[in-house]
Amino acid sequence: MSGDSSLPLMPPSSSLTYSIASSTPHSGKYAPENVIEDKPNDHSSRWSASFRGYGQQWITLKLESLSVLKTITFGKYAKSHPCNIKELQVLVGPSEDHMTEILHANLKDDSIPETFTLTHMNSAGVPFPTRFIKIVPIMTHQQNFHVSIWYIGLTGVVDPEYVERVRLTHEEYRETAVLRYVLKHLRQRRLLSPYQSILSRSSVHLEHPLITKLHESIVLQGDWKLAEQHLQQLATSGLLDTHLSTCQRYAEWTRLRGTDADGDIPPPRGGHAMCMDPVNEMVYLFGGWDGEKSLDDFWVYSVKEDTWKLLSSATTLEPNAPGARSCHKMTFDTKTGSIYVLGRLGDMDGLRAPSSPDSATSPRSPDTRGPLQLPSQGHRTSHSDGAEPGGQINTFCSEFYRYHTRGLLAGKWDFLSIDTAASGGPPLVFDHQMAIDSDSHILYVFGGRVVDGNWDVFKYSGLYSYNISTSKWKLLQNAPTSSSPSPTISGTTPAALSDIQGHLRHGHSPVPIQTSAESSGTAFIPPRYGHSMVLDQFTKTLYIFAGKRNNDDFLADMYSYDIRTGSSTEIFSNFTTAGGPGASSTQRAAIDPTLKEIYVFSGLTRDSDQIGTTKLRDTLNWVYRYDTRPGEWMQVLKMPGSAASERPRPRFGHQVVYNTTTRTVFFHGGNGGQGAGLGENGERLDDFWRMELKRPGPEEIIRQSKFLIRKQQFREMCEDMPPVKALNFLQKDVSSVVNHKNRDEERQFRALLTHLLSPIKSPPPEPLPTKTPFTRRVTTGDLSVNFPALKREDTREGSPRPKKRSRPEKDKDVDPDAESTVSVMSAKSSSSEESGVWTNEIPADLPVDENAPALDGKSPPSSATSSTFEARHLREVVDPIESNIRGEDAQKERPLSGTRYTERTEVFEALLKFVDEGERQPKESLLDLVDFA
């Protein structure tokens, strides 16, 4: 039930006109109509609630016409104000009585308007129209003040033709959703004839044809061998793929101990850079900090040969090559085989020791700043920024380098730029991130702390692109020029700390975008350093997350940047609350665009309730799946039984690279820290690891499914067969599909023995008790309705989705020649009482609506004396369709009781958890849609 591809391309958004539909009482002259106009300098231009505190207060807007709502903007007063909203909810709907929450967000206490993108599609990808918008303030920035909203701006699509198509599509989706719940409910209650009638007359897609076959083989036929064959077909058809992708991952680590020809490996370090040639399976490593000095050695590791090779012991001495450095970045261009190097923190850059040294680098002396020598003279390349080589340059210039691994220039360096900032690129930065789109031949650089010699002020870089073909830089998104260091706050509660340090971590909003004044409405990703950034080359999307600002503000947010549209979206304001890792810095990440997964390897973390306390945790690695929004986080577990020595120890400042072809992670070095303080004397590491994520394959799902099926088969054997035969089946067939190392499965297996010792006989099907039956004729004109054998939605098993059926023509409603037809009207009430089969005679003890006419237009008799109807009786009545599936002989020899029908249905529905959501019946029950009280 995915989005309707028949919808035309969405028209561009425009400002939406609205009026005030209703609101709670306002205070004084601060009427709700004031929010329609944006007057940031007018102190009275706002809606202010009449009550102080956080009571039930709201304001509802009515759009001029039905629209597809895209964004909401909250304007603010010209300066900070105690009445400003801190937390709010936004609900939308076609009417005031039917509204759904689509946003839960926090606003900052400043003068910058904030814009949030609003969900305009449901979970199935179907867009929905809106007429009413309800804003519910939850909290102000200061207590005991009247909550105020200064301005509300809305944008969306108002094109009448498009909005009407959206409305019709959404209504059709709702109708289909209701029918799917009804179909599930009917089949659960053994009402197979009306179930089949709805399927035959509608185009509803309930499930894949293989799932229908699985239901027949398990529930109606009890053909266990056939059911297990269907399991293999499910795997072959790809219906288990989605579940497999969400199964728990386990990290299998292998220590790589290969050396070079002299028995050497790269010495210990942190803050180095790595990149990988996935075609030739070569890992390149350059620079870093060994605890005393920056390094300039350059290495390559051959995955195929498990050997290291020293390319240069000192690149400082190489023509056009970079000098010693750490906290820089490298990336590999698969198209040309070139390596690009940008950024640094060098020995002469003068970073003084921070109060809580949690950078991948170590403190530098503040007095060691000096001139930076250009790369050695030799075969120097021309500079793309036009600077002249030779002599001394400013210490804080951002040099840009390229290394060739292929062709005639293999092994040579190019000095591309003395200072990228001079040609429109980023300033000198460290702890930034860089990614390359080899197909488009474009580099992307985001964030990092600016190196300019002034360590009292935190400055950050923005988002840039570099066109390799034209050697041109482009600023995609600016960053604030500076930020003062956060003060150390002692004795502050977590809530107060959130107020003070929550400049970026602002609540629970799923998709907010902040608009900065400097960027003229362009979406804004908050600046940072020590973060992660990866690129999905298929969707042209950058994912930027975590890192820190200043010394103490560790981040747990995530943004996406759409390269094609230039728009950014906040995916998580705090992914920790969504089941992800804690706020962190210097963590490393890799992406697999094919699987739509991001792998995160923890670095430094900080608990939200512990100010200034930085921690290294045991190796906690994570997978983030982004195939849906907002995506799902899953912790990668250790392989069962693995010892601590069989995996990397906790660290930060390490490096990882990923081979998307072999789906293998390579992990090297870092700083192991020292105690809780993680001081400068922490141990630098030189260990090198390979990690592969192990996840269940289809065979594991099939095994678990067989266990579910054979448990039911055994329970029925205990009732129907000699105990010896059932025991043999338990010991041989059931035991063979049990994972005896899994405690839960082993417990379930042992518990099955109780069925053998004291089997509970399933009662045979019983007819409903009757008193004075009355009849309702089910007719079409003058003909009795015949029900054909149970149809499947599509006979093509390999079809990913059945085609929509045409409604049957009137003269084809009845097929008198069909071999498998069963005439409802031929059923006698006496046979119903004896065999419990379906009949058109309704028992008198079922409740009857006296006001409801019969199908033949006649009113039913009074039911004043009828007893209360019990839903459990539904499963005890055999549906006429069943004999066509099971066969009349099987129906007589092995009658299917209501209890057994229920048990088999439970097994069938337990198997559906392995099937793709779009190819199975709804997970929820129709009963869940009815209020409990």
Side-chain angles (χ1 to χ4, degrees):
M1 298 181 65
S2 58
D4 191 339
S5 58
S6 65
L7 281 173
L9 185 66
M10 182 179 290
S13 297
S14 59
S15 296
L16 301 181
T17 302
Y18 65 86
S19 59
I20 305 300
S22 59
S23 72
T24 49
H26 62 275
S27 174
K29 60 182 179 181
Y30 306 120
E33 287 74 17
N34 290 335
V35 304
I36 299 176
E37 295 186 65
D38 188 13
K39 299 179 180 180
N41 296 313
D42 185 352
H43 183 272
S44 63
S45 182
R46 53 174 162 148
W47 169 71
S48 186
S50 62
F51 306 110
R52 296 184 180 182
Y54 313 135
Q56 291 294 324
Q57 304 177 93
W58 44 265
I59 179 173
T60 301
L61 317 179
K62 181 180 180 181
L63 296 176
E64 188 175 46
S65 61
L66 199 65
S67 308
V68 178
L69 185 62
K70 299 291 291 295
T71 70
I72 185 169
T73 298
F74 292 95
K76 301 178 184 179
Y77 186 50
K79 59 182 180 180
S80 174
H81 195 282
C83 294
N84 283 345
I85 293 180
K86 179 180 180 181
E87 185 178 358
L88 58 85
Q89 293 173 296
V90 176
L91 302 91
V92 300
S95 67
E96 291 187 84
D97 298 327
H98 187 190
M99 307 191 80
T100 302
E101 179 181 328
I102 61 169
L103 182 67
H104 187 154
N106 282 45
L107 298 177
K108 300 180 180 66
D109 186 17
D110 57 22
S111 61
I112 302 175
E114 293 185 59
T115 299
F116 297 84
T117 57
L118 298 176
T119 302
H120 60 278
M121 292 187 178
N122 60 22
S123 58
V126 178
F128 56 83
T130 296
R131 187 71 188 273
F132 292 88
I133 302 97
K134 185 176 184 179
I135 297 94
V136 182
I138 298 176
M139 184 182 299
T140 56
H141 276 276
Q142 295 188 28
Q143 295 182 357
N144 298 321
F145 281 87
H146 296 270
V147 63
S148 292
I149 296 179
W150 302 84
Y151 168 72
I152 300 174
L154 305 171
T155 67
V157 178
V158 294
D159 180 84
E161 183 178 351
Y162 178 81
V163 173
E164 178 62 12
R165 290 284 296 276
V166 167
R167 186 189 69 80
L168 293 175
T169 300
H170 189 252
E171 284 300 312
E172 182 180 352
Y173 164 81
R174 296 177 65 199
E175 291 280 354
T176 301
V178 169
L179 281 178
R180 294 182 78 239
Y181 281 105
V182 170
L183 286 169
K184 175 184 177 180
H185 188 80
L186 291 174
R187 187 165 65 178
Q188 281 180 331
R189 270 62 185 174
R190 208 173 181 174
L191 300 172
L192 302 181
S193 293
Y195 164 87
Q196 178 58 31
S197 178
I198 294 175
L199 274 182
S200 300
R201 296 181 57 192
S202 68
S203 58
V204 174
H205 170 73
L206 178 66
E207 61 196 11
H208 192 279
L210 282 175
I211 304 302
T212 303
K213 285 187 173 183
L214 185 65
H215 179 271
E216 292 178 14
S217 60
I218 292 177
V219 180
L220 300 179
Q221 296 173 324
D223 190 334
W224 313 113
K225 185 176 180 180
L226 180 60
E228 292 187 6
Q229 292 175 1
H230 290 328
L231 295 177
Q232 188 62 53
Q233 293 174 328
L234 293 180
T236 305
S237 301
L239 298 180
L240 308 180
D241 290 352
T242 299
H243 178 79
L244 288 172
S245 67
T246 61
C247 288
Q248 179 63 60
R249 273 69 152 193
Y250 294 87
E252 184 176 74
W253 291 94
T254 303
R255 178 80 178 263
L256 302 176
R257 301 183 182 276
T259 67
D260 67 2
D262 298 326
D264 295 328
I265 61 173
R269 68 192 68 206
H272 48 300
M274 290 202 314
C275 63
M276 184 170 191
D277 176 354
V279 178
N280 298 304
E281 294 193 80
M282 309 289 281
V283 178
Y284 293 87
L285 182 153
F286 171 62
W289 173 259
D290 66 2
E292 296 181 356
K293 63 183 183 302
S294 296
L295 305 175
D296 61 350
D297 52 344
F298 189 29
W299 297 77
V300 62
Y301 173 80
S302 171
V303 175
K304 297 177 181 178
E305 300 176 2
D306 187 27
T307 57
W308 284 99
K309 179 181 179 181
L310 181 63
L311 298 176
S312 175
S313 59
T315 56
T316 305
L317 304 178
E318 299 284 335
N320 302 313
R325 64 195 57 220
S326 65
C327 300
H328 53 294
K329 292 296 174 283
M330 293 199 312
T331 189
F332 188 89
D333 183 2
T334 56
K335 183 174 290 187
T336 64
S338 299
I339 296 173
Y340 292 87
V341 180
L342 180 70
R344 72 157 197 270
L345 190 61
D347 294 345
M348 294 183 176
D349 292 327
L351 175 60
R352 69 188 181 197
S355 59
S356 180
D358 42 44
S359 172
T361 62
S362 66
R364 312 308 200 251
S365 167
D367 299 320
T368 58
R369 293 191 291 271
L372 173 68
Q373 298 293 332
L374 283 171
S376 303
Q377 299 297 318
H379 302 289
R380 183 181 303 282
T381 61
S382 61
H383 300 274
S384 61
D385 56 7
E388 293 297 327
Q392 296 180 349
I393 61 172
N394 189 316
T395 305
F396 309 114
C397 289
S398 175
E399 318 113 57
F400 189 30
Y401 300 90
R402 176 171 58 202
Y403 179 80
H404 300 274
T405 67
R406 305 175 192 165
L408 298 176
L409 295 178
K412 303 296 183 182
W413 287 92
D414 293 335
F415 188 28
L416 299 178
S417 174
I418 294 178
D419 187 9
T420 56
S423 53
L428 178 60
V429 291
F430 72 94
D431 277 349
H432 52 296
Q433 284 297 331
M434 184 162 64
I436 187 170
D437 183 352
S438 294
D439 295 334
S440 303
H441 235 206
I442 296 179
L443 276 168
Y444 297 93
V445 181
F446 175 74
R449 186 176 177 185
V450 175
V451 181
D452 62 359
N454 182 4
W455 300 108
D456 293 323
V457 178
F458 285 79
K459 301 177 183 177
Y460 305 96
S461 182
L463 176 62
Y464 294 84
S465 67
Y466 176 75
N467 190 311
I468 296 174
S469 302
T470 62
S471 301
K472 298 294 185 181
W473 286 96
K474 180 180 179 181
L475 175 63
L476 302 178
Q477 188 175 107
N478 208 344
T481 55
S482 65
S483 174
S484 300
S486 296
T488 301
I489 309 170
S490 58
T492 309
T493 65
L497 176 63
S498 176
D499 290 349
I500 299 170
Q501 295 185 319
H503 182 65
L504 298 173
R505 292 172 286 183
H506 50 276
H508 316 287
S509 166
V511 284
I513 294 179
Q514 182 187 14
T515 304
S516 66
E518 296 81 9
S519 59
S520 301
T522 302
F524 176 72
I525 303 176
R528 65 198 64 210
Y529 71 115
H531 54 286
S532 294
M533 181 178 77
V534 291
L535 168 66
D536 184 332
Q537 296 191 45
F538 298 152
T539 63
K540 306 301 180 185
T541 303
L542 292 166
Y543 292 89
I544 299 167
F545 58 95
K548 67 176 182 177
R549 282 171 56 89
N550 308 333
N551 276 336
D552 297 317
D553 196 2
F554 279 54
L555 306 177
D557 56 354
M558 173 180 276
Y559 287 79
S560 65
Y561 180 84
D562 190 324
I563 294 171
R564 292 166 298 189
T565 64
S567 61
S568 56
T569 302
E570 185 183 66
I571 303 173
F572 295 103
S573 59
N574 186 344
F575 47 63
T576 306
T577 61
S584 59
S585 174
T586 69
Q587 72 291 324
R588 305 306 180 203
I591 189 170
D592 191 319
T594 303
L595 298 177
K596 295 190 178 299
E597 294 180 343
I598 296 174
Y599 311 114
V600 182
F601 302 86
S602 296
L604 292 169
T605 61
R606 178 162 295 174
D607 293 336
S608 60
D609 59 345
Q610 296 186 13
I611 305 170
T613 301
T614 305
K615 296 181 179 180
L616 275 180
R617 302 189 186 278
D618 195 5
T619 311
L620 295 179
N621 306 317
W622 297 81
V623 175
Y624 169 65
R625 284 188 55 81
Y626 59 92
D627 53 341
T628 59
R629 282 299 180 97
E632 296 182 359
W633 288 94
M634 177 186 296
Q635 185 176 332
V636 179
L637 301 182
K638 309 161 189 173
M639 287 294 289
S642 63
S645 60
E646 297 175 346
R647 57 182 182 271
R649 58 183 278 193
R651 65 192 67 201
F652 64 99
H654 47 293
Q655 281 298 332
V656 300
V657 292
Y658 180 71
N659 188 333
T660 56
T661 303
T662 62
R663 293 177 178 169
T664 305
V665 173
F666 295 90
F667 180 106
H668 181 272
N671 189 338
Q674 182 183 24
L678 303 177
E680 167 51 26
N681 295 325
E683 178 185 3
R684 267 56 182 196
L685 307 172
D686 63 358
D687 51 343
F688 191 37
W689 300 81
R690 179 182 69 234
M691 190 205 78
E692 295 176 294
L693 284 179
K694 299 297 182 180
R695 66 191 85 199
E699 64 283 350
E700 172 62 16
I701 304 302
I702 293 174
R703 181 198 66 78
Q704 295 180 31
S705 300
K706 286 182 177 180
F707 182 36
L708 289 171
I709 290 174
R710 292 183 186 182
K711 283 194 299 181
Q712 178 63 24
Q713 184 179 358
F714 171 74
R715 286 192 289 262
E716 295 187 15
M717 290 179 69
C718 290
E719 300 173 7
D720 303 337
M721 296 184 179
V724 174
K725 190 171 184 178
L727 179 60
N728 183 61
F729 180 80
L730 176 67
Q731 294 174 334
K732 181 180 178 181
D733 297 89
V734 180
S735 180
S736 65
V737 294
V738 176
N739 178 5
H740 293 280
K741 295 181 180 180
N742 185 304
R743 293 182 180 179
D744 185 55
E745 286 193 21
E746 178 66 14
R747 179 188 58 77
Q748 293 180 47
F749 174 68
R750 293 185 179 277
L752 288 174
L753 194 60
T754 60
H755 293 273
L756 186 64
L757 299 176
S758 56
I760 301 175
K761 296 286 185 179
S762 296
E766 299 177 357
L768 289 173
T770 61
K771 294 184 180 179
T772 307
F774 66 91
T775 61
R776 288 187 180 182
R777 298 181 58 83
V778 183
T779 61
T780 302
D782 295 328
L783 297 176
S784 299
V785 176
N786 295 326
F787 289 89
L790 185 62
K791 292 183 180 179
R792 299 182 184 88
E793 296 183 86
D794 195 328
T795 57
R796 299 174 294 113
E797 295 179 9
S799 172
R801 264 183 213 283
K803 291 183 178 180
K804 290 188 175 182
R805 302 180 209 79
S806 300
R807 293 182 181 270
E809 298 177 13
K810 188 173 183 180
D811 60 348
K812 294 182 180 180
D813 284 350
V814 180
D815 184 2
D817 299 324
E819 294 181 4
S820 58
T821 59
V822 178
S823 174
V824 176
M825 296 303 296
S826 65
K828 303 294 184 181
S829 62
S830 58
S831 64
S832 171
E833 294 176 6
E834 294 173 1
S835 63
V837 299
W838 260 69
T839 176
N840 61 315
E841 298 188 7
I842 308 301
D845 60 347
L846 294 181
V848 177
D849 185 353
E850 299 182 40
N851 298 319
L855 295 179
D856 59 2
K858 299 179 180 180
S859 299
S862 173
S863 59
T865 60
S866 299
S867 62
T868 302
F869 169 68
E870 296 185 18
R872 62 182 177 84
H873 288 307
L874 290 174
R875 296 185 180 89
E876 297 295 341
V877 181
V878 178
D879 192 285
I881 282 181
E882 293 182 42
S883 61
N884 301 312
I885 300 172
R886 303 186 68 216
E888 292 186 5
D889 293 339
Q891 189 82 343
K892 294 178 180 179
E893 296 174 5
R894 300 187 304 277
L896 181 59
S897 69
T899 300
R900 187 162 289 184
Y901 186 94
T902 301
E903 292 174 347
R904 291 179 178 182
T905 299
E906 291 173 353
V907 173
F908 166 73
E909 294 185 348
L911 295 174
L912 295 184
K913 68 180 181 181
F914 301 127
V915 179
D916 292 355
E917 185 175 355
E919 302 294 349
R920 70 188 187 201
Q921 66 184 24
K923 183 178 179 181
E924 299 81 7
S925 169
L926 183 64
L927 298 179
D928 296 334
L929 306 181
V930 180
D931 292 338
F932 180 76

